[in-house]
Amino acid sequence: MLGALAMLGGCQALSSSPERLDAERVEKSFVERDCPAERCATVEVDSLRFPGAPGLSEQLRDELLSMGSGITNGKSETMASSWETYAKTFFDEAKATRERVPELPGYQAVFKAEVYDRHADLTTVKLDSYVFTGGAHGMPLTEFMVIDERERRVVTLDDMLREGQTPAYREALSRAHRRWLEEQQAGADFAESWPLSMSRNVAPFADEWRVRYNAYDIAPYSYGQPELRIPAQALEGIIKPRYLER
């Protein structure tokens, strides 16, 4: 559904093919009011929307909102329905925390969506969030949204796997993990302390699949967000042929 991007004015425009949709940037900035100088909370959004597919736009926005809501100190049990609502809740939390810890640096939340790859009528959008609510550092998160342009929908790993091939996928992932450990020169103690977990957060490139983990999933925070890479040929017979097209 997404096409190759080209910067046109303030928008990211995609192919005009009738089978594809335009994408426009969504940029929003919120700053807390009535707060101490240099301690004000901020929310920055650099995202995408699809004017011809409001359902996809809502899906992308909701995924980003959920990424930010899950790691705040929020008391709300429901996810924010808009960026404005999210910012208000975030600022309320910042104010309440500042009343207990006046010297706390300003809360910060940053959200971004960008096209990560496009080939064979598949477009992968990379969603990033970074939320700081005190402590030694903030928490980054990354999620992939894979859009099948032919079916005009978001597809998951389960959609792309052949029936009964989850164990084989796990084994391919395990081999990629072992290669990653060798690249990191990580020993047996590291692997035991940070065991591999199953991840469905995949980005299908033409020649390889990238599997992203967030901080603390399979390695300490200092390792960032590890990305394991599985050669596409190693997934033949495991993944449906449609999703291994070049």
Side-chain angles (χ1 to χ4, degrees):
M1 288 164 52
L2 293 174
L5 295 184
M7 295 303 296
L8 295 176
C11 302
Q12 270 192 322
L14 303 184
S15 169
S16 59
S17 167
E19 297 182 357
R20 298 175 184 169
L21 299 176
D22 289 336
E24 297 178 349
R25 298 224 65 82
V26 175
E27 297 179 347
K28 294 178 178 288
S29 180
F30 305 90
V31 181
E32 182 187 9
R33 296 181 179 179
D34 303 321
C35 47
E38 299 181 0
R39 296 188 189 279
C40 295
T42 60
V43 176
E44 300 288 338
V45 181
D46 181 5
S47 186
L48 296 171
R49 67 167 169 253
F50 314 108
L56 272 180
S57 298
E58 292 175 6
Q59 199 168 349
L60 190 157
R61 181 204 61 200
D62 289 349
E63 183 63 27
L64 276 179
L65 283 167
S66 70
M67 291 166 66
S69 300
I71 51 178
T72 68
N73 299 319
K75 306 300 187 293
S76 174
E77 295 183 1
T78 58
M79 188 184 71
S81 59
S82 68
W83 290 115
E84 289 74 13
T85 302
Y86 177 87
K88 182 182 184 305
T89 301
F90 194 66
F91 296 161
D92 288 346
E93 293 176 14
K95 181 178 180 180
T97 304
R98 199 165 51 241
E99 290 175 352
R100 301 192 303 270
V101 188
E103 68 277 10
L104 185 74
Y107 276 21
Q108 181 184 18
V110 180
F111 301 90
K112 185 174 183 179
E114 61 181 334
V115 172
Y116 193 48
D117 178 71
R118 181 178 181 278
H119 75 282
D121 298 326
L122 289 177
T123 291
T124 300
V125 180
K126 184 162 72 80
L127 309 178
D128 291 304
S129 70
Y130 175 86
V131 178
F132 173 78
T133 57
H137 51 69
M139 179 61 69
L141 293 177
T142 297
E143 297 290 342
F144 297 130
M145 176 181 287
V146 182
I147 300 172
D148 188 327
E149 300 175 9
R150 297 175 191 172
E151 298 186 6
R152 295 181 169 244
R153 70 183 181 103
V154 173
V155 292
T156 66
L157 174 62
D158 289 338
D159 294 322
M160 295 184 279
L161 277 170
R162 287 176 178 264
E163 186 175 355
Q165 291 301 310
T166 298
Y169 169 75
R170 290 177 184 269
E171 178 55 34
L173 184 64
S174 180
R175 291 194 295 269
H177 182 234
R178 290 194 290 269
R179 290 192 295 271
W180 181 81
L181 289 173
E182 292 175 359
E183 293 168 359
Q184 305 304 314
Q185 298 182 336
D189 290 344
F190 182 100
E192 184 176 348
S193 299
W194 297 94
L196 178 67
S197 58
M198 177 66 168
S199 175
R200 287 177 163 77
N201 190 26
V202 300
F205 280 62
D207 57 344
E208 65 182 8
W209 278 36
R210 301 182 184 183
V211 185
R212 179 70 65 95
Y213 288 83
N214 288 307
Y216 297 120
D217 281 348
I218 60 172
Y221 185 90
S222 59
Y223 280 72
Q225 297 170 276
E227 192 169 79
L228 307 185
R229 302 191 173 194
I230 306 175
Q233 62 185 17
L235 293 170
E236 293 179 1
I238 299 173
I239 299 298
K240 295 174 183 176
R242 160 74 186 101
Y243 302 107
L244 291 176
E245 294 179 14
R246 294 174 178 270

